[in-house]
Amino acid sequence: MGTVTLGVSIAVPEPYGSLLQERRAGFGDPAAHAIPTHVTLVPPTEVTQDRLPEIGAHLAGVAAGCRPFTVRLGGTGTFRPLSPVVFVRLVEGAGACDQLQQLIRDEAGPLVRELQFPYHPHVTVAHGISEAGMDRAYAELAGYEAAWTCCSFALYEQGTDGVWRKLQDYEFGNGRPAPAVPAQGGSPLDSPAPTHT
């Protein structure tokens, strides 16, 4: 049985998603167009393909018990020197994201896993690039602000080409499929993934 690499996240909606994706590319991050702008709930996790139906049912159940909440972004932060990341901070909605990721990674569910670092919701805008590029991202987005009502989260799969593609949105309150967030910056986020080997 083959394996797939999955992630669960909250998509940053338009026009904010594309703007931050383009800024990330402009800072010199080569992964910018392979990763939709997001708040991570479950980091990259390898599972066997036969578990996808179970995972989908679990995520639908979690979403059915959730209510929409406000996410507000403001200013920048960094995980340096521990990790080469610059991010936009969540100044509202962090607690709701934390509760959500705990429900998704529940010990009784199919996505239980230990985290490498304590959970800290954020929107990455630079990762693993030059120090000068990260300094620039930190300074240029220091005054950035955005806000929206979060009504869903999504399951993504990383293709063999390294691009993350959406498999399904899960709408809060009922778990039903939600309207898809458009692909950002022309990246092939909703196109078919390469065949698994």
Side-chain angles (χ1 to χ4, degrees):
M1 178 59 66
T3 62
V4 293
T5 300
L6 304 177
V8 182
S9 64
I10 294 169
V12 175
E14 299 301 343
Y16 317 122
S18 288
L19 184 150
L20 290 176
Q21 188 178 50
E22 291 303 318
R23 295 303 305 272
R24 182 170 179 172
F27 297 137
D29 192 329
H33 289 294
I35 305 172
T37 309
H38 67 283
V39 178
T40 297
L41 296 173
V42 177
T45 302
E46 190 172 292
V47 301
T48 56
Q49 285 179 287
D50 63 341
R51 303 199 72 190
L52 285 172
E54 178 188 5
I55 290 168
H58 171 65
L59 294 176
V62 170
C66 293
R67 301 180 68 172
F69 60 91
T70 298
V71 175
R72 189 161 59 91
L73 307 180
T76 48
T78 183
F79 294 132
R80 294 184 289 174
L82 189 61
S83 181
V85 172
V86 171
F87 56 86
V88 174
R89 298 181 301 116
L90 267 71
V91 294
E92 186 174 351
C97 289
D98 187 28
Q99 292 177 353
L100 191 52
Q101 65 90 22
Q102 289 182 52
L103 290 170
I104 294 171
R105 293 190 305 107
D106 185 80
E107 291 180 2
L111 285 173
V112 60
R113 60 159 292 168
E114 294 297 320
L115 299 179
Q116 184 178 2
F117 301 107
Y119 183 71
H120 184 282
H122 62 279
V123 177
T124 297
V125 290
H127 180 212
I129 61 174
S130 69
E131 288 295 322
M134 287 192 285
D135 288 344
R136 188 176 149 217
Y138 188 90
E140 291 186 13
L141 291 174
Y144 183 79
E145 294 183 349
W148 70 94
T149 300
C150 177
C151 298
S152 66
F153 59 79
L155 176 66
Y156 290 84
E157 178 183 347
Q158 187 178 37
T160 55
D161 56 358
V163 175
W164 285 91
R165 293 175 174 86
K166 186 180 297 179
L167 297 181
Q168 183 67 63
D169 282 293
Y170 296 92
E171 185 178 14
F172 294 165
N174 56 38
R176 293 182 311 206
V181 174
Q184 299 161 5
S187 56
L189 301 178
D190 295 309
S191 61
T195 303
H196 299 292
T197 54

